[in-house]
Amino acid sequence: MLEQGRLAGLIFVIITIGSMMYGISKAKNKLPNVRRIAGLEAISEAVGRATEMGKPVFCTPGWADITSSSAGATLAALDIIGHVARMTARYDTRIVVAVSFPNVLPLAEEAVQQAYLLEGKIDKYDQDMVRFTSSEQYAYAAAVLGMIQREKPATCIFVGQFASEAVDFAEAAVAVGAIGIAGTTSTYQLPFFAAACDYTLIGEELLTAGAYISQDSARLGSVHGQDLAKLIVFVVVVAG
């Protein structure tokens, strides 16, 4: 017999899996509509501004490893950075990416290199575009602040998992006059980004970003399925 309190969890899992499978199946015939995410829509304008000013675009996928519980946010951040890199490659704009964990470094390098390859600009790719800092929180924070001060980017994109360094990054972007675009699943750091940055991806908007950018049917279908599962659970809770 199931232990008391476990039945509701089992039902929720079944509803979620069923909804996701339904969403993925439906997306094979027609992609679901995903509302526009202002932070992602602003990336094109922000990269264009950097191109016009002749300044670089600075990105960082946050302070988290892909083996941690925040792996989802880090992988979503790498999707966004790859999207940004395609734009910088297209417009011959310099990009600087600061990475905090060794496991994330090859993924970030691959994302940027692949972006330049897809744009037919592989000869423009430079290994110095992706820079390893440190997995120690404040060493990473100090390195990022130093890069922003030295490079004077026109656009700063902070996406991924962040801790107390979030407010310092946001203020550093403002200090050099950069457009700030941030996104995190950390509810503790979201207020700082929302207050100091021009655009903020809030919670699940960051996790949805990869699917939104890729327009992949399986990923968009799974997002649609998760939303459907939440709606079903919400109705059940209200009915209860």
Side-chain angles (χ1 to χ4, degrees):
M1 294 180 64
L2 290 171
E3 293 185 20
Q4 186 177 2
R6 298 251 178 122
L7 180 59
L10 176 62
I11 293 172
F12 177 73
V13 169
I14 293 172
I15 290 173
T16 302
I17 293 174
S19 299
M20 290 178 66
M21 292 178 66
Y22 169 76
I24 293 171
S25 176
K26 187 177 179 181
K28 290 179 181 178
N29 299 319
K30 182 182 178 181
L31 292 179
N33 292 324
V34 179
R35 71 172 177 81
R36 295 175 62 186
I37 301 175
L40 289 180
E41 296 286 339
I43 288 176
S44 179
E45 175 191 346
V47 174
R49 178 176 184 265
T51 304
E52 291 174 356
M53 297 177 69
K55 292 184 175 182
V57 174
F58 177 83
C59 304
T60 180
W63 180 62
D65 202 349
I66 55 172
T67 58
S68 69
S69 59
S70 302
T74 303
L75 294 173
L78 292 172
D79 279 334
I80 294 174
I81 290 173
H83 177 61
V84 174
R86 289 197 66 172
M87 291 188 181
T88 59
R90 192 176 307 150
Y91 303 135
D92 291 327
T93 306
R94 198 157 60 89
I95 184 172
V96 177
V97 181
V99 176
S100 58
F101 280 83
N103 289 333
V104 181
L105 179 62
L107 298 179
E109 288 177 332
E110 178 66 20
V112 175
Q113 188 174 23
Q114 185 69 14
Y116 275 74
L117 179 63
L118 291 172
E119 291 297 322
K121 299 285 187 70
I122 191 61
D123 56 309
K124 299 286 186 180
Y125 173 74
D126 184 354
Q127 286 188 335
D128 189 52
M129 291 175 175
V130 182
R131 306 173 185 177
F132 176 72
T133 58
S134 173
S135 55
E136 293 295 326
Q137 180 183 4
Y138 294 109
Y140 159 67
V144 168
L145 294 175
M147 288 181 197
I148 293 174
Q149 286 297 320
R150 289 191 300 272
E151 300 286 351
K152 299 289 191 297
T155 300
C156 289
I157 299 176
F158 311 115
V159 283
Q161 180 66 23
F162 295 90
S164 59
E165 69 277 358
V167 64
D168 298 320
F169 292 175
E171 289 178 351
V174 173
V176 297
I179 288 180
I181 299 175
T184 184
T185 54
S186 173
T187 54
Y188 296 105
Q189 308 309 323
L190 274 172
F192 301 114
F193 280 145
C197 292
D198 297 282
Y199 299 93
T200 306
L201 302 174
I202 299 174
E204 289 188 350
E205 288 184 341
L206 172 63
L207 302 178
T208 307
Y212 182 91
I213 291 168
S214 69
Q215 291 296 297
D216 179 71
S217 61
R219 298 174 74 176
L220 286 172
S222 67
V223 171
H224 177 66
Q226 290 173 55
D227 288 344
L228 182 60
K230 293 172 192 173
L231 179 61
I232 293 171
V233 173
F234 178 74
V235 171
V236 171
V237 169
V238 172

